[in-house]
Structure formats: structure tokens, C-alpha cells
């Protein structure tokens, strides 16, 4: 299984580290910023790094040839249709909510702001609709009373994302396909931007 990882920051690095423990070849890392810690981590282990021409969009030429699966980890860029078409299985990303709830940026903050007693994480197929692709894996967790968004992310949601991404990658290796359950749009929410 040949993977192109698109991401940034700490979660991008921990995803890279997790993928290295699975039966995959990370053929390329794509970042929006050449100075990002994910770029440094990839270069340190000899993985080629591509810097996006447009920080909001990943295009086909930025995906490594022979990629089976694109994995995103803390990427705010849309993966273009042409880029998804390059990868045999398309792409998946992790969203720290129980999609279709809290689509968009600041999902963890909105989980706290809305007082949700339950949170969760979703591995979803990358698609035209941001955070709107079919669900490949999903799991929930409780939100502790008084917990901040950062505390919830660090305690539960980041580890959950790594676990679920690993499970989906392992499924793809064995079955050469990805699980897919369509999101029920009647439950979709897209939080407005936090002030």
C-alpha cells in the first residue's frame, strides 16, 4: 500500500509515525508550508516532501505517482478531484467529530461550545463537500465536564484519530477497498466560525 500523506503540525507528525508501523510505503508527504514540522520529520527519514503551490488546494501533480491512498492529517487544504483520481483508492481524512455533526473548522471547539456530552472521531472519504464524504470508520467518546477543547483533543480525539486511521489503512491493505457509509444529511451541522 503506497500512501501520500497530506498534513501539518503535530498531528501530521504523529500520523506519519503511526503509518510507519503499518505495512505501507509512505511515498510522499505534502505540506502547505516548507517550514512545517511534518516536512522536517519526513525529510529526516528520507521521505520526499512536496510544498503545495496553493495552500488551500492539493492538485494531481502534487500527489506521488503510484499512490494507492491519500491520507490527510491536520490539513486545511481541499484535495482536488484530479488529485483524488490519481490515487487508486482515493483519499481519507480524520475529522474530530461524529460526522455529519460539526463539519468544518473548529469542530472540537464547537463540541465544547454546544455542550455535547459525547464527542467522537470520523475517518471519511475525501470529496467535493468539505467533511461530507462517506464514513469509513467512526467511534465516540464522552466529554468530561469542564473539559476544554484542547484537553478533549489531547486526551481522547487525537489518539482516537490515529487508531481509526490505522484501522482504515489496515482494512485497505487486506481488502483493497475502503468501507463507506453515506452521511445522513438531516443531521449535518456546519458551525459558524468562532469569533
Amino acid at each position: 500500500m503506497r500512501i501520500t500523506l497530506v498534513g501539518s503540525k503535530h498531528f501530521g507528525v504523529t500520523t506519519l509515525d503511526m503509518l510507519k508501523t503499518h505495512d505501507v510505503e509512505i511515498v510522499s508527504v505534502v505540506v502547505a508550508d516548507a517550514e512545517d514540522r511534518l516536512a522536517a520529520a519526513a525529510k529526516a527519514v528520507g521521505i520526499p516532501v512536496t510544498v503545495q503551490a496553493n495552500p488551500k488546494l492539493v492538485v494531481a501533480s502534487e500527489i506521488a505517482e503510484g499512490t494507492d491512498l491519500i491520507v490527510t492529517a491536520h490539513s486545511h487544504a481541499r484535495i482536488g478531484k484530479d488529485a483524488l483520481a490519481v490515487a487508486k483508492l482515493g483519499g481519507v481524512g480524520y475529522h474530530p467529530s461524529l460526522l455529519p455533526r460539526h463539519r468544518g473548522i473548529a469542530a472540537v471547539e464547537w463540541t465544547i461550545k454546544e455542550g455535547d456530552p459525547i464527542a467522537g472521531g470520523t475517518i471519511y472519504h475525501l470529496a467535493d463537500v468539505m467533511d461530507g464524504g462517506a464514513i469509513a470508520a467512526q467511534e465516540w467518546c464522552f466529554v468530561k465536564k469542564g473539559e476544554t477543547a484542547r484537553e478533549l483533543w489531547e486526551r481522547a480525539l487525537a489518539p482516537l484519530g490515529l487508531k481509526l486511521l490505522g484501522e482504515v489503512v489496515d482494512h485497505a491493505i487486506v481488502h483493497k477497498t475502503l468501507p463507506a457509509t453515506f452521511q445522513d444529511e438531516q443531521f449535518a451541522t456546519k458551525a459558524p466560525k468562532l469569533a
Side-chain angles (χ1 to χ4, degrees):
M1 175 72 51
R2 293 166 53 88
I3 291 180
T4 292
L5 174 62
V6 180
S8 68
K9 301 186 180 183
H10 180 72
F11 191 67
V13 173
T14 57
T15 300
L16 176 68
D17 291 341
M18 178 274 296
L19 288 171
K20 289 189 301 189
T21 68
H22 290 258
D23 191 20
V24 300
E25 179 186 356
I26 304 160
V27 292
S28 177
V29 165
V30 180
V31 295
D33 178 1
E35 302 302 313
D36 188 89
R37 69 175 79 173
L38 175 57
K43 288 176 186 172
V45 294
I47 298 171
V49 174
T50 300
V51 179
Q52 297 162 225
N54 176 348
K56 296 194 182 288
L57 178 67
V58 175
V59 296
S61 62
E62 295 167 338
I63 302 299
E65 189 175 324
T67 293
D68 294 308
L69 180 64
I70 299 166
V71 173
T72 64
H74 201 141
S75 172
H76 297 298
R78 189 171 61 77
I79 311 299
K81 278 185 186 180
D82 63 331
L84 289 172
V86 170
K88 289 178 188 158
L89 297 177
V92 293
Y94 174 61
H95 191 73
S97 79
L98 292 170
L99 288 175
R101 187 159 176 78
H102 301 311
R103 286 180 180 163
I105 294 175
V108 184
E109 288 82 355
W110 279 102
T111 297
I112 298 299
K113 189 175 177 87
E114 294 287 311
D116 294 354
I118 293 173
T122 305
I123 306 300
Y124 66 99
H125 291 246
L126 303 176
D128 277 346
V129 176
M130 191 63 89
D131 305 329
I135 293 169
Q138 191 170 61
E139 196 171 307
W140 65 273
C141 64
F142 287 114
V143 178
K144 291 182 178 180
K145 288 198 182 294
E147 193 165 37
T148 67
R150 183 174 191 83
E151 290 166 342
L152 175 59
W153 168 256
E154 291 175 355
R155 174 186 65 82
L157 296 178
L160 182 58
L162 294 173
K163 173 185 172 280
L164 292 174
L165 277 169
E167 289 172 0
V168 169
V169 166
D170 287 345
H171 183 279
I173 291 167
V174 171
H175 300 284
K176 308 293 188 248
T177 187
L178 296 168
T181 302
F182 291 101
Q183 295 187 38
D184 189 337
E185 290 298 316
Q186 71 175 327
F187 299 110
T189 59
K190 183 171 180 187
K193 291 186 178 179
L194 292 170

